[in-house]
Amino acid sequence: MTAELSNSRPRSWLLRAAALLPALLISGCNWVVMSPSGDIAVQQRDLVLISTGLMLIIIVPVIALTLFFAYHYRQTNKSAKYEPTWDHSVGLELLIWGVPLLIIIALGALTWTSTHLLDPYRPLGRISAQSGDIGENTPVGQLAGNQQTITGGKPLDVQVVALDWKWLFIYPEYGIATVNELAAPVDRPLRFKMTSSSVMNAFYIPALAGMIYTMPGMETTLHAVINKPGNYEGFSSNYSGAGFSGMRFRFHGVSDAGFDAWVAKVRNGGGGLNRANYMQLEKPSEKVPVRYFGGVESSLFKAIVEQCVKPGKPCMSDMMGKNPHDGMAMPGVNGGSGPQDAGPRPEGGLMKDGDEKGSGKHWSAPADIKRDGANAAPGSPANRNHTMLTPSTMPGSRPVANG
């Protein structure tokens, strides 16, 4: 008897350890996505939960019925009804096809509406679930339902630049900038304008809203709001190189008075940020501490987006608004008023000059043949049709026109 008890104890401990293992694994999870502090993130969480619940309406009964059928129609159960010739039931067909169809319709409607309501470029229609609708000109007042004071309908603009491997935040309204620290008043709409200096990143504050990509030479937008005071984590959720793991920052949700105090601290905490300082800041560095800039060059963010921070480098808007051949401005761009042909033209066969057509043995060159009675020689308007005239060649080789 004693030997049997001693042998059963290790087994009981193993069973207990196996039962505790899932709980230990779950305890290490961060549930901030399921417990957010901003209205946009709350709506996204609700969308996930509703979608999951709708899908479980199918998944749970199917799993339960599979287990039931396997048990009920087992070989040893002689009381189970055996019907080898049964093949159809109208009721079952309606249930099997009707319920999934209704769920797909519900998921489709939910996805379509939420895609538009949670569009990151769409200005906020409300501050929180308890508040009323807001707009750009909403005056200072009381939110409906919870007597919560709002700051106003005008969003707080924040310009975000993803650097290697740190975050730069510019507050154009206040003329300040920070590195790896972000702050905003509670219940005030936020409008993030985001770009990247070199490679693609993803701006993500789980408690605030979903992630938005930042790309060099492009500007993306995110509208959001924080509803609870706190110290939240933000990071890049898109791998961008060696220092990616340390590309994290803190986001502080504070009161209006706390935000004013934070702005004052930033203004007194560092020098100005101009193009020369930015070019030094832009260089790759890892685990960068928080930095403050009490002043910012007004056109810096625009220059970053258009990739013309370096002196003498033309901005993308200037290059796109100029004719690379004669430098004349395109009509309607940069004040240009020249003829339409003076604008920029894309390179390629369809827009070649007359003396360029038919000059090369490449697939877009025309064949110098008679076509519909018209002269297809170089310079003829018929050359604007540069359809390939040779049969397709083997993969990996370049077709050559007959000319």
Side-chain angles (χ1 to χ4, degrees):
M1 179 67 70
T2 304
E4 292 179 357
L5 288 174
S6 61
N7 290 334
S8 64
R9 286 175 181 173
R11 295 179 182 177
S12 63
W13 279 107
L14 288 174
L15 291 175
R16 291 176 184 177
L20 288 175
L21 183 60
L24 292 175
L25 292 175
I26 293 175
S27 65
C29 297
N30 189 343
W31 287 91
V32 63
V33 175
M34 293 292 105
S35 182
S37 301
D39 186 60
I40 295 297
V42 168
Q43 294 182 65
Q44 292 171 340
R45 177 205 61 189
D46 294 344
L47 177 62
V48 171
L49 294 177
I50 294 172
S51 301
T52 304
L54 287 173
M55 290 183 284
L56 287 177
I57 294 176
I58 293 294
I59 296 173
V60 172
V62 167
I63 294 176
L65 288 174
T66 300
L67 297 175
F68 171 76
F69 290 151
Y71 176 78
H72 183 71
Y73 293 103
R74 66 191 186 278
Q75 184 178 5
T76 57
N77 185 14
K78 303 302 181 182
S79 62
K81 192 175 182 180
Y82 179 63
E83 295 180 297
T85 60
W86 180 90
D87 64 351
H88 184 70
S89 171
V90 175
L92 283 177
E93 291 287 347
L94 291 174
L95 182 66
I96 292 171
W97 293 104
V99 174
L101 179 61
L102 293 175
I103 292 176
I104 291 173
I105 293 173
L107 279 174
L110 181 66
T111 302
W112 189 88
T113 55
S114 60
T115 298
H116 292 277
L117 292 175
L118 296 177
D119 181 358
Y121 283 78
R122 183 177 184 266
L124 298 184
R126 71 183 195 186
I127 295 293
S128 65
Q130 294 78 27
S131 69
D133 295 337
I134 65 171
E136 285 288 332
N137 298 318
T138 301
V140 175
Q142 301 292 323
L143 293 180
N146 64 351
Q147 298 299 310
Q148 194 174 16
T149 303
I150 67 174
T151 305
K154 187 178 183 299
L156 172 64
D157 286 316
V158 182
Q159 297 167 343
V160 181
V161 183
L163 303 172
D164 295 331
W165 288 274
K166 48 198 170 285
W167 292 93
L168 172 64
F169 303 107
I170 302 174
Y171 290 76
E173 182 180 345
Y174 298 91
I176 60 174
T178 63
V179 173
N180 287 344
E181 185 174 275
L182 180 65
V186 171
D187 295 326
R188 180 172 178 181
L190 303 174
R191 179 168 55 199
F192 296 99
K193 299 290 185 180
M194 295 172 284
T195 190
S196 177
S197 64
S198 58
V199 298
M200 179 184 292
N201 273 282
F203 177 80
Y204 189 28
I205 305 175
L208 181 71
M211 68 176 185
I212 301 295
Y213 284 100
T214 63
M215 292 161 280
M218 300 180 65
E219 180 184 300
T220 50
T221 303
L222 171 66
H223 287 85
V225 64
I226 192 72
N227 299 121
K228 299 177 182 178
N231 185 351
Y232 307 101
E233 183 181 30
F235 53 89
S236 173
S237 54
N238 187 79
Y239 180 74
S240 58
F244 161 76
S245 60
M247 196 172 173
R248 297 173 179 270
F249 62 92
R250 304 309 302 182
F251 171 56
H252 303 283
V254 296
S255 64
D256 291 340
F259 180 71
D260 292 338
W262 181 83
V263 170
K265 182 177 70 171
V266 173
R267 281 179 175 160
N268 298 325
L273 180 63
N274 53 27
R275 297 195 182 202
N277 295 345
Y278 172 80
M279 291 173 62
Q280 294 299 319
L281 181 66
E282 186 184 28
K283 295 179 179 179
S285 56
E286 300 183 26
K287 298 181 180 179
V288 178
V290 174
R291 291 183 61 183
Y292 297 148
F293 298 95
V296 181
E297 185 176 325
S298 60
S299 60
L300 179 60
F301 183 74
K302 182 177 183 295
I304 296 171
V305 174
E306 300 201 14
Q307 299 183 323
C308 56
V309 177
K310 294 182 180 179
K313 185 176 181 180
C315 296
M316 293 191 299
S317 60
D318 294 332
M319 291 189 292
M320 290 186 291
K322 298 288 185 180
N323 188 333
H325 295 292
D326 54 24
M328 295 178 64
M330 183 177 181
V333 178
N334 295 335
S337 58
Q340 185 64 40
D341 288 341
R345 295 176 297 175
E347 295 294 331
L350 294 180
M351 298 300 294
K352 287 183 177 180
D353 292 332
D355 57 352
E356 295 178 309
K357 298 175 185 177
S359 61
K361 293 289 186 178
H362 53 83
W363 70 269
S364 64
D368 296 334
I369 59 174
K370 296 285 185 178
R371 188 185 303 118
D372 297 331
N375 183 12
S380 170
N383 283 327
R384 289 194 177 276
N385 182 3
H386 283 200
T387 303
M388 186 170 63
L389 302 177
T390 56
S392 300
T393 58
M394 294 297 292
S397 61
R398 185 174 178 82
V400 178
N402 297 323

